Amino acid sequence: MISPRPFQRLVSLSHVHDPATTPLFPGDPEFHTDIVATVANDGYYLRYIQQGEHTGTHWGAPIHFHSDGLAADELDLDDLLLPAVKVDVREQCAGDRDYAVTVADLKQWEGRHGRIPDGAAVIAWTGWDAKWGTPEFIGTGESAGHQPGFAVETVEWLLRTGRLGRRGALGIDTFGPDLGTDDTYAVSKLLYRDHRISLECLANLVTVPATGAWILVGGPLYSGGSGSPATIFGILPDR
């Protein structure tokens, strides 16, 4: 007899990768799919997919910002399975595309839910996942390139207090944990050390509870990779 699952259900936190709808970070390579074999002509169907390692929903490894950092294939499997906390900052971000998640936001979250577990995936729900496939994801006119992220002092606090330890992650439904206007990538440079990773362009965050879920990162482990497009799973608690 098969034992009951120790969790309620799995949900996908990844957008479907489609060149027609997937926004590209400025300067990233184009996303193409080409049919190279068909059932009618070859007896099987096969496509050639061309995209950057950080196209669509993806994760990043330490080497992405540090030449001496670990590559995707050098991390431990445990680095890809993390307890998750979700911080809902949609209200703040709705009126400010440059909103940076603050220490106060996280302390307010802890006042309701308890201490963020050490080595957690700290996920900011900005509401950007609902903008996927529309011009508003990247922004237009004066808003172009403006996206929420984490404040530098917030990440420094997470690191100093051990909530982001030897392993852990920042997750977000935008292009990355940095503010869209920060071309120094200050937050990423702090994050990507030891075995810490980033989870970016997350989807379907409405399904993830504030606490109690786990995150499982699935995707190809490229040799020397800076990360990869990924199917990121939310493992929801049995309550």
Side-chain angles (χ1 to χ4, degrees):
M1 180 177 179
I2 299 175
S3 299
R5 295 185 301 185
F7 55 89
Q8 184 183 41
R9 62 192 175 105
L10 292 173
V11 294
S12 173
L13 303 183
S14 293
H15 294 283
V16 174
H17 286 222
D18 182 346
T21 57
T22 299
L24 293 178
F25 188 78
D28 274 7
E30 292 297 318
F31 180 14
H32 298 288
T33 63
D34 298 299
I35 296 174
V36 297
T38 65
V39 174
N41 292 333
D42 307 284
Y44 61 93
Y45 175 58
L46 179 67
R47 293 191 302 170
Y48 177 36
I49 308 296
Q50 303 173 73
Q51 60 181 331
E53 288 180 320
H54 293 254
T55 296
T57 301
H58 62 276
W59 68 283
I63 198 174
H64 187 38
F65 276 93
H66 299 287
S67 59
D68 61 346
L70 295 173
D73 59 315
E74 296 173 323
L75 290 168
D76 300 331
L77 288 180
D78 284 345
D79 299 328
L80 306 179
L81 177 63
L82 302 169
V85 304
K86 183 184 76 175
V87 183
D88 187 348
V89 289
R90 288 175 298 161
E91 183 176 349
Q92 297 93 312
C93 297
D96 185 1
R97 291 184 67 101
D98 296 318
Y99 187 77
V101 179
T102 65
V103 175
D105 289 327
L106 300 189
K107 287 185 175 181
Q108 184 180 56
W109 185 96
E110 290 192 333
R112 296 173 180 167
H113 305 289
R115 190 183 190 279
I116 294 170
D118 290 354
V122 180
I123 297 171
W125 186 19
T126 72
W128 248 244
D129 52 350
K131 302 178 188 294
W132 190 260
T134 75
E136 277 302 299
F137 189 87
I138 296 175
T140 58
E142 292 184 358
S143 70
H146 290 257
Q147 292 194 337
F150 288 84
V152 171
E153 55 268 26
T154 303
V155 182
E156 290 173 338
W157 178 78
L158 287 167
L159 292 166
R160 184 170 64 251
T161 61
R163 288 161 173 83
L164 286 178
R166 179 174 176 268
R167 64 169 46 103
L170 291 179
I172 197 164
D173 48 2
T174 68
F175 276 131
D178 301 278
L179 287 175
T181 55
D182 182 10
D183 58 7
T184 71
Y185 307 107
V187 164
S188 289
K189 289 175 182 176
L190 285 170
L191 171 66
Y192 282 114
R193 281 294 185 188
D194 296 317
H195 286 235
R196 295 187 297 270
I197 63 175
S198 182
L199 312 172
E200 304 177 4
C201 295
L202 294 174
N204 204 24
L205 290 178
V206 67
T207 64
V208 179
T211 185
W214 285 69
I215 294 293
L216 176 62
V217 182
L221 296 176
Y222 297 120
S223 177
S226 66
S228 74
T231 301
I232 298 176
F233 299 97
I235 305 174
L236 305 191
D238 187 7
R239 291 179 175 171

